[in-house]
Amino acid sequence: MFSLPQLPYAYDALAPAISEEIMTLHHSKHHQAYVDKLNAALQEVQLVDSGRTIEDILMHLDDIPERVRMAVRNNGGGHYNHSLFWQCMTPGGAPLSADSTLRQMLEDIYGSMDACMEVFSAKAAGVFGSGWVWLMPSGEIVTSQNQDSPLMDSGVEPLLGLDVWEHAYYLDYKNVRPEYVTQWWTVVNWKFVQQRYSDATNG
Ligand code: MN3
């Protein structure tokens, strides 16, 4: 059985970048629904107590019986993506230190952190419909549709993810997704992202 992870901060802690109302709905309703539907789909094929991690399930979707595979892909992806997303944010944000290895890598590729963030923001603006933007351990910035994760195709876990589904910002920003992205940068937990990069490159 999968369960909803606790947020590492209060529902109102990311305001004004993301309001308490959005955080409450997004975590306690949307994410909870992904968890519930994932468990229901796995239950249907007697896999709910298999003990497999969500990462393992998403990397081997072909092993899931076809009649529930799409439900596991969508809701398992939703569970994995949101679990990562919450941790990628922290009240007030946490910047990268000057000697951060992640900063070094991104500056080598993009020229500067600002330039890297501009590429990421442009990709976020360009996602058609519902999806995500991801920073990969290679430094590459990729997008996915719906609740898909790069993990599904590549087996590689993203370092940082941004939810650009309308439910993530519409109450605060209406249709102006770029403003949501601009404000989101102020709450990004780069220290967490650096830790994931260190783990990915040393492991
Ligand atoms: Mn969402």
Side-chain angles (χ1 to χ4, degrees):
M1 287 282 270
F2 290 98
S3 58
L4 183 68
Q6 276 208 322
L7 281 187
Y9 37 75
Y11 281 131
D12 63 358
L14 301 181
I18 305 179
S19 66
E20 177 176 10
E21 187 180 15
I22 283 189
M23 287 303 296
T24 304
L25 288 168
H26 202 175
H27 179 260
S28 73
K29 302 295 181 189
H30 290 276
H31 191 170
Q32 181 72 61
Y34 295 126
V35 169
D36 292 345
K37 289 176 184 172
L38 170 63
N39 285 330
L42 292 172
Q43 179 84 55
E44 203 178 318
V45 290
Q46 281 84 52
L47 287 172
V48 76
D49 291 316
S50 69
R52 292 174 65 187
T53 63
I54 190 60
E55 291 85 355
D56 185 43
I57 289 173
L58 296 181
M59 279 190 286
H60 303 99
L61 283 169
D62 286 351
D63 296 352
I64 302 294
E66 203 191 339
R67 70 178 191 280
V68 298
R69 192 178 301 148
M70 190 51 83
V72 171
R73 181 185 191 109
N74 290 334
N75 295 293
H79 175 45
Y80 173 84
N81 292 342
H82 287 85
S83 298
L84 174 59
F85 183 52
W86 309 134
Q87 297 179 81
C88 287
M89 301 183 286
T90 193
L96 283 179
S97 60
D99 62 351
S100 140
T101 54
L102 176 60
R103 174 189 289 278
Q104 223 157 50
M105 188 259 296
L106 295 175
E107 286 180 351
D108 283 349
I109 296 174
Y110 297 98
S112 68
M113 283 300 293
D114 281 349
C116 170
M117 287 153 69
E118 273 173 37
V119 171
F120 191 104
S121 297
K123 294 227 176 195
V127 173
F128 185 78
S130 298
W132 291 77
V133 191
W134 309 101
L135 175 65
M136 302 303 292
S138 62
E140 197 183 355
I141 295 164
V142 301
T143 64
S144 65
Q145 290 292 312
N146 304 314
Q147 294 296 353
D148 283 358
S149 164
L151 181 62
M152 293 173 181
D153 296 324
S154 66
V156 179
E157 293 203 61
L159 303 178
L160 168 72
L162 170 60
D163 188 345
V164 296
W165 283 53
E166 283 192 346
H167 69 224
Y169 62 89
Y170 205 86
L171 286 171
D172 288 349
Y173 299 98
K174 301 296 185 283
N175 58 315
V176 191
R177 187 191 288 171
E179 184 57 21
Y180 159 60
V181 178
T182 299
Q183 296 306 317
W184 176 73
W185 287 119
T186 68
V187 294
V188 168
N189 187 352
W190 283 107
K191 285 193 169 32
F192 171 76
V193 183
Q194 167 67 58
Q195 186 56 53
R196 286 178 74 76
Y197 179 63
S198 299
D199 293 346
T201 47
N202 297 336

